[in-house]
Amino acid sequence: MKKLLNEPNAYVDEMLEGLCAAHPQYFRRIGEAGRVVARTDGPVSGKVGIVSGGGSGHLPLFTGYVGRGLIDSCAIGNVFAGPSVDDCIEAMRAADGGAGILRLYGNYGGDRMNFDMAGEMLDMEGIETATVLGADDVASADAAERHKRRGVAGLIYLYKIAGARADQPGATLREVAAAAEKAGRGCATTGVALGPCIVPEAGKPTFTLAENEIEMGMGIHGEPGVWRGPLKPADALAGEMLEMVGADLGLGRGERVSVLVNSLGATPHEELYILYRHVARELAAKGVTVVRPLIGRYVTSMEMAGASLTVLRLDSELEALLDAPADCPFWSVP
Amino acid sequence: MSTDSRMLVEALGRWADRMELAAPELNALDGQLGDGDLGATLSKCAANIRKAIAPPPADIPGIFKACAIACTKASGSSLGTLLAVAFMTLTKETAGKNQIGDAEWPGLLAAVRDALSARGGARLGDKTVLDAIEAVRLGLEGTGPEGRLSAAKAALEAAIADFRGRENRIGRARIFAERSRGLDDPGMIAARHMLESIG
């Protein structure tokens, strides 16, 4: 294992220490185990709090998006392992501005179980909570079983939309949850994996691919995808990914969307722009207008090679929320 | 026979010792299909529980509640959270009790089974710890006062053998369902260690 670390078991805690040391204007680290990161200027009184959480290994997700106009706090687990119930409770308290709390995280069984249990414990204290799950990975289940889909890169759009809605004066928990749900319904992602990553605590690759072999639709923890086969030209892969997400959303002429071309970690910006070039052309040819495209490392699996494509369908409400101010070290809208 | 709070604390101590001993085996088993942190998670639960019951809370529900809170502080495998749910259920079910009669255990296990199913989404037959709990419950229920524990152990062994050739139908192992045939479910094996340690 060739990784920049000291002790595999200290990987997450040392990462969090560095993250908070680098960005003290945004992040403060709290919780009995130091596994909760909250806004330095939070909780914001009278605002619906937005809490997220999940395993480490996906930076900037989840923790990196703690900030104004995004999420208020985050519970952090080990690499690819969910946060503890106790940390979920702590994160929810740190997001509590007295107007209710939205739990907004990816659709994984363990995370769901822990956040639900944490939610029940806070409900007993009379704090109003709601849940919206990111479930945008089209390859993980058919459209008929949307609720079974895993959450991947599209979750950051849900952060942005919910965060902006919560910042509007007088926004209620129900309204913030409804905005997040609307974004979730209009959000679809698929990814292609070129090479694995190594979980530090395990010390071995999460999966293996032969030289020149790729896997279309693979999940961000190496969950099996749609097909495995030889590498193809970027345009062919971009076209196939766009076809999958476009068909899922039923995109039509005249629609407006945002597009996220995301590196899973090792894939460079150059290759993301090569993919985006084709996506932009195809969408223009279909009469679909792209607003605020995001190209870069937004949701990763450490050094995994590959990319994902997310399309978010916009209406006037969602477009305004996407344009609203937000600020964190990894995504700012002035 | 019945269990009082002193016996319960002693049994939890033996349980904690066993979780730590079994951790490498459970990590390896879990690593074949999952992320290999089951043993580490249970060790963490064991260490937290040891702290939570020294000195022990005054009554049986208090002990169970301390164990539940201790398990919510362990991250990693889902089984840590399920343990917290199980202890929370036992807290509610034993409210006001100073001892638990042997004949009450099948009912308590049924309550735990239902709570875990509601929280985790697994059903009987999915090849999870639920199937182990149900086997133990049936083993305890079907026997007279003598030999309850050995009947429960035999029932659990039979269930482990029966499920070995089946597919996991939930969780990360479900993704590799075909490969799960022939492998013991790590949750069921954890249950075997738990039963052996307390009985």
Side-chain angles (χ1 to χ4, degrees):
Chain A
M1 172 169 58
K2 204 187 242 178
K3 273 184 180 288
L4 300 174
L5 53 75
N6 298 304
E7 282 295 324
N9 289 330
Y11 192 82
V12 174
D13 292 312
E14 292 183 356
M15 171 276 286
L16 288 174
E17 197 181 329
L19 186 80
C20 294
H23 309 291
Q25 69 275 42
Y26 296 102
F27 304 142
R28 64 194 167 97
R29 199 175 166 202
I30 53 174
E32 200 180 313
R35 289 298 187 91
V36 176
V37 166
R39 275 174 69 168
T40 299
D41 58 351
V44 181
S45 181
K47 183 183 90 72
V48 172
I50 303 174
V51 59
S52 193
S56 295
H58 303 299
L59 277 179
L61 197 73
F62 303 82
T63 325
Y65 296 106
V66 168
R68 182 176 62 108
L70 294 158
I71 60 174
D72 293 280
S73 63
C74 186
I76 302 129
N78 287 334
V79 174
F80 296 178
S84 74
V85 174
D86 198 48
D87 290 332
C88 294
I89 293 172
E90 199 80 43
M92 285 165 68
R93 286 192 205 283
D96 183 17
I101 300 167
L102 176 66
R103 293 184 292 265
L104 184 54
Y105 57 95
N107 187 23
Y108 294 88
D111 294 349
R112 231 171 39 224
M113 204 163 71
N114 290 4
F115 266 111
D116 284 354
M117 189 162 174
E120 273 171 34
M121 289 173 125
L122 284 196
D123 288 345
M124 288 194 281
E125 296 177 19
I127 298 174
E128 192 191 2
T129 67
T131 300
V132 175
L133 297 172
D136 52 314
D137 185 354
V138 298
S140 57
D142 291 336
E145 293 193 304
R146 255 170 199 287
H147 65 284
K148 288 193 180 170
R149 286 183 175 172
R150 296 183 292 259
V152 284
L155 185 59
I156 68 162
Y157 279 128
L158 274 60
Y159 285 172
K160 180 70 185 72
I161 298 297
R165 187 69 183 89
D167 270 354
Q168 292 181 343
T172 64
L173 176 58
R174 184 184 290 209
E175 290 162 348
V176 175
E181 271 166 8
K182 190 204 262 186
R185 281 194 302 276
C187 183
T189 299
T190 197
V192 62
L194 276 59
C197 61
I198 293 175
V199 175
E201 293 97 328
K204 56 180 194 225
T206 45
F207 57 90
T208 52
L209 279 168
E211 181 67 32
N212 211 41
E213 192 181 42
I214 64 170
E215 184 156 332
M216 179 61 74
M218 184 179 259
I220 55 175
H221 310 97
E223 296 94 337
V226 180
W227 58 260
R228 189 177 266 229
L231 182 63
K232 295 178 185 178
D235 284 1
L237 294 173
E240 188 175 338
M241 289 197 281
L242 183 60
E243 180 59 38
M244 282 168 75
V245 298
D248 190 75
L249 293 173
L251 279 186
R253 193 162 281 278
E255 294 212 63
R256 295 169 72 80
V257 299
S258 184
V259 167
L260 162 61
V261 178
N262 172 57
S263 169
L264 296 175
T267 293
H269 281 73
E270 282 79 357
E271 292 166 35
L272 301 179
Y273 282 111
I274 291 171
L275 290 172
Y276 181 70
R277 163 190 165 275
H278 188 77
V279 169
R281 282 184 174 186
E282 289 278 307
L283 286 173
K286 288 183 165 70
V288 175
T289 304
V290 178
V291 178
R292 285 195 180 274
L294 299 168
I295 317 294
R297 283 189 184 87
Y298 286 88
V299 175
T300 66
S301 289
M302 294 183 295
E303 73 279 19
M304 187 165 158
S308 65
L309 171 68
T310 303
V311 174
L312 172 69
R313 162 181 281 134
L314 297 172
D315 61 7
S316 56
E317 183 200 9
L318 293 187
E319 190 167 339
L321 293 171
L322 194 61
D323 283 341
D327 196 17
C328 77
F330 305 96
W331 189 5
S332 286
V333 180
Chain B
M1 272 286 285
S2 63
T3 306
D4 60 20
S5 59
R6 185 188 53 82
M7 291 161 75
L8 181 61
V9 167
E10 283 171 8
L12 286 165
R14 295 197 300 277
W15 179 92
D17 292 343
R18 184 63 170 260
M19 288 306 103
E20 280 161 1
L21 274 176
E25 178 196 340
L26 295 174
N27 279 339
L29 202 54
D30 185 38
Q32 292 184 294
L33 295 174
D35 38 16
D37 60 0
L38 176 60
T41 305
L42 292 177
S43 286
K44 188 84 187 22
C45 289
N48 290 352
I49 283 178
R50 238 194 268 280
K51 263 188 264 169
I53 58 172
D59 58 5
I60 284 183
I63 294 166
F64 282 138
K65 189 174 182 192
C67 291
I69 292 169
C71 292
T72 65
K73 295 179 200 299
S75 67
S77 165
S78 306
L79 204 57
T81 303
L82 291 174
L83 259 182
V85 173
F87 282 124
M88 203 56 100
T89 306
L90 292 171
T91 307
K92 288 180 200 152
E93 295 287 322
T94 59
K97 284 186 195 290
N98 288 321
Q99 44 190 357
I100 302 170
D102 283 357
E104 294 178 63
W105 283 107
L108 292 174
L109 289 178
V112 167
R113 174 200 66 197
D114 294 345
L116 298 191
S117 180
R119 170 64 69 216
R123 284 179 290 196
L124 288 179
D126 285 351
K127 193 175 177 179
T128 70
V129 71
L130 277 193
D131 295 299
I133 292 169
E134 182 65 354
V136 170
R137 187 188 72 80
L138 291 170
L140 288 173
E141 204 172 54
T143 324
E146 295 303 312
R148 273 205 179 100
L149 203 58
S150 51
K153 285 179 182 170
L156 179 55
E157 288 310 311
I160 290 170
D162 175 33
F163 276 92
R164 190 169 295 137
R166 303 207 214 167
E167 289 181 0
N168 279 98
R169 292 208 298 236
I170 192 168
R172 199 170 289 184
R174 177 183 62 91
I175 299 166
F176 307 103
E178 194 50 46
R179 274 166 49 197
S180 69
R181 281 183 196 276
L183 295 177
D184 287 331
D185 175 64
M188 294 181 79
I189 299 304
R192 171 201 273 163
H193 284 290
M194 293 180 194
L195 182 64
E196 285 178 355
S197 71
I198 57 178

